Amino acid sequence: MVRAISAAVLLTLLLAVRDRALPRPRLSLVGAASLCVYLVGFSFAYVSLDAGLGALVLFGVVQLVMFAGALLAKETVPPLRYAGAAIAFV
């Protein structure tokens, strides 16, 4: 919880510096649920996985989420990026 709260405070400060004003709070149930799933999964991994395996799983999941986000946003993904991701996963 300390890590999540400190991340929220830092993000708020960064947004305030960038926009020169405090951000208006918004409630997103999907965002809140996603954050809760992430926190529960991360907490479970923290106590049950070795650091190396955890870093590898985290890297793989981040790559998958980035690709899924690009595809859902209908961005053009060049073939070289697919090749790089395939090499990274191998």
Side-chain angles (χ1 to χ4, degrees):
M1 289 308 299
V2 171
R3 184 178 289 174
I5 292 169
S6 62
V9 169
L10 181 61
L11 180 59
T12 301
L13 291 174
L14 289 173
L15 290 173
V17 169
R18 184 191 71 180
D19 298 338
R20 301 194 195 290
L22 286 175
R24 291 180 31 195
R26 295 183 317 183
L27 177 62
S28 167
L29 295 179
V30 172
S34 299
L35 180 60
C36 286
V37 168
Y38 167 79
L39 287 173
V40 167
F42 200 91
S43 297
F44 175 73
Y46 187 77
V47 297
S48 63
L49 293 178
D50 292 333
L53 179 59
L56 186 62
V57 169
L58 182 61
F59 170 77
V61 170
V62 167
Q63 290 295 316
L64 289 174
V65 168
M66 287 173 45
F67 263 91
L71 294 176
L72 289 173
K74 300 195 188 303
E75 292 179 16
T76 302
V77 180
L80 195 56
R81 193 173 298 166
Y82 281 111
I87 291 169
F89 276 113
V90 169

